[in-house]
Amino acid sequence: MPPSVISPRPTVPASRRPPSPAGGGGVRARTARSLRYAAPALLGYLAVRLLGLLVLARWAHLKHHGVWPVLASSWDSNWYLGIADHGYQDRLGTAYDSNNLAFFPLYPVLIKAVAGVTPGSRASVALALAVVFSLAAAWGVFAVGDRLYGRRAGTVLTVLWGALPVGVVQWMAYTESLFTALAAWALYAVLAGRWYAAAALTVLAGLARPTGIALAVAVAVAGLAAAARTRAWPPFVAAVTAPLGWLGFVAWVGARVGRWDGYFAVQRLWRNTWDGGADTLRELRELLAYDRTPQLFLVAVSAVLVASVALYALCLADRQPLPLLVFCGVLLLVVLGSGGVYFPRARFLLPAFPLLLPLAVAVGRARLPVAGLVLGAAVLSSAWLGGYMLLVWPGPP
């Protein structure tokens, strides 16, 4: 039997699900009920990230660094802020690592729009948006986990997502939190049969990150499968609409630089090509087998990549819903198949939260001391590695 589009087996008993959105009250009342229901997960997420922030602040103080510049205006953050300030350049050029057309527009557009009506610098606005989007993402992650396996699993899933080895990026002026929020709620909308909402969120996600193509494929495949089964129009419309955000930006870049493959030419100038995974395997072999003194951060990245493949195998064995499997599968293909830079690949996989579902279910069913040990180890290691990544590792996260 193929994976279900709507829900895996076993389904969650009705008594363990949140209050139905169709219940009494308006949108505000339903949102308040859902927020109260998700409160333990969101509070757990906040506790994880606040601990990480405290560790980072103490570490930064010992190294005589400021926390705000590290989180708000470093590496990719500066590219997004530059786009918000000056827009995109209008030619391809030949210089490596210097063309801002590689960065998708939704985040800098939001930064510019919000900064225009609020006090403070654009860097502060960018960081504040990232924190807000991380909370929206955590809520969406919980919603997916709760719908499939119940409230406890959803809460554990949210805490595990916040405690990923590179979880500190969720509170940086980067696009991972924005994209994860859009992806989580789009996948939830598909599971709930809300096809128009899923399509709209996926179009936005396609304007947020290059990996928006993974979500577009997931929603398109799920929509076509549902349309073939039910002969209904909404899933078909969602399937056709889902890729438009990603395709629209790629086409716009091509028109701007005057060549049909303009976006991919820009990516080549950033040394990003797709080689089917040859470079990833070469890096893994070098780091894990031949390098006698590998850099700690690169070892952590390698461990994340290997664990992600193993977790995806478990997701397949669990027969997760089709959109989740397609989303994570395409995301893994894009990230592991890239021949570009190696060090940010753990960050690129941060939105692949469904990979954590098998672990979340197992921890949720474990005895309390075991669950506490697993979660505590994840939280503490994430806090320490976050500080190491930003204050010791010399490159971008």
Side-chain angles (χ1 to χ4, degrees):
M1 178 181 290
S4 168
V5 173
I6 301 300
S7 62
R9 296 183 300 174
T11 56
V12 179
S15 60
R16 294 169 59 194
R17 293 180 182 168
S20 171
V27 173
R28 184 178 300 179
R30 294 197 299 271
T31 301
R33 287 198 300 269
S34 296
L35 186 58
R36 285 195 298 271
Y37 183 79
L42 297 180
L43 291 174
Y45 173 78
L46 269 175
V48 171
R49 294 294 359 122
L50 286 173
L51 175 63
L53 183 61
L54 288 174
V55 170
L56 179 64
R58 178 58 180 167
W59 202 329
H61 175 74
L62 294 175
K63 292 180 71 69
H64 305 289
H65 285 295
V67 173
W68 183 91
V70 172
L71 296 177
S73 59
S74 61
W75 304 109
D76 286 8
S77 303
N78 286 326
W79 286 101
Y80 292 116
L81 293 172
I83 295 169
D85 285 335
H86 309 295
Y88 285 102
Q89 57 196 75
D90 58 3
R91 56 181 55 88
L92 181 60
T94 58
Y96 284 94
D97 305 331
S98 64
N99 194 313
N100 66 5
L101 288 166
F103 296 88
F104 277 54
L106 182 59
Y107 189 45
V109 166
L110 291 173
I111 293 171
K112 185 173 183 178
V114 175
V117 295
T118 58
S121 68
R122 286 185 174 175
S124 298
V125 168
L127 183 57
L129 284 175
V131 173
V132 171
F133 290 136
S134 78
L135 295 173
W139 192 359
V141 168
F142 168 78
V144 172
D146 171 62
R147 182 176 182 87
L148 298 180
Y149 295 106
R151 191 182 192 187
R152 178 178 294 182
T155 300
V156 174
L157 178 66
T158 307
V159 172
L160 287 174
W161 182 72
L164 285 171
V166 292
V168 66
V169 175
Q170 297 164 9
W171 280 15
M172 292 180 68
Y174 275 51
T175 57
E176 273 70 21
S177 290
L178 169 61
F179 180 69
T180 305
L182 293 169
W185 284 109
L187 292 170
Y188 178 82
V190 171
L191 296 174
R194 299 169 185 169
W195 293 103
Y196 295 138
L201 291 166
T202 305
V203 169
L204 290 174
L207 295 170
R209 285 196 60 77
T211 46
I213 189 62
L215 183 64
V217 172
V219 174
V221 169
L224 291 175
R229 188 180 66 254
T230 64
R231 306 297 179 184
W233 276 106
F236 178 77
V237 172
V240 173
T241 306
L244 294 183
W246 189 89
L247 291 174
F249 180 69
V250 169
W252 179 82
V253 172
R256 190 166 181 85
V257 301
R259 49 187 291 181
W260 70 270
D261 66 338
Y263 173 76
F264 303 101
V266 170
Q267 288 294 337
R268 286 193 290 272
L269 289 177
W270 283 87
R271 301 177 178 85
N272 289 327
T273 57
W274 198 84
D275 64 2
D279 184 68
T280 301
L281 291 174
R282 187 163 48 249
E283 292 279 358
L284 284 171
R285 182 179 60 184
E286 177 66 24
L287 284 166
L288 303 181
Y290 296 108
D291 192 343
R292 294 185 178 181
T293 57
Q295 292 179 295
L296 177 60
F297 179 64
L298 296 181
V299 173
V301 170
S302 301
V304 169
L305 299 184
V306 173
S308 296
V309 173
L311 288 170
Y312 188 66
L314 291 177
C315 293
L316 289 171
D318 285 347
R319 294 161 61 186
Q320 282 185 7
L322 181 63
L324 274 61
L325 291 176
V326 174
F327 172 62
C328 290
V330 176
L331 194 57
L332 283 169
L333 281 176
V334 171
V335 174
L336 299 180
S338 171
V341 289
Y342 185 77
F343 54 81
R345 299 192 194 190
R347 171 169 65 87
F348 294 164
L349 288 175
L350 198 151
F353 70 92
L355 293 177
L356 299 171
L357 273 168
L359 182 58
V361 172
V363 172
R365 292 172 179 172
R367 297 168 63 180
L368 188 59
V370 175
L373 181 63
V374 172
L375 293 176
V379 170
L380 292 176
S381 61
S382 175
W384 184 87
L385 188 61
Y388 180 90
M389 180 175 66
L390 297 183
L391 299 172
V392 178
W393 164 250

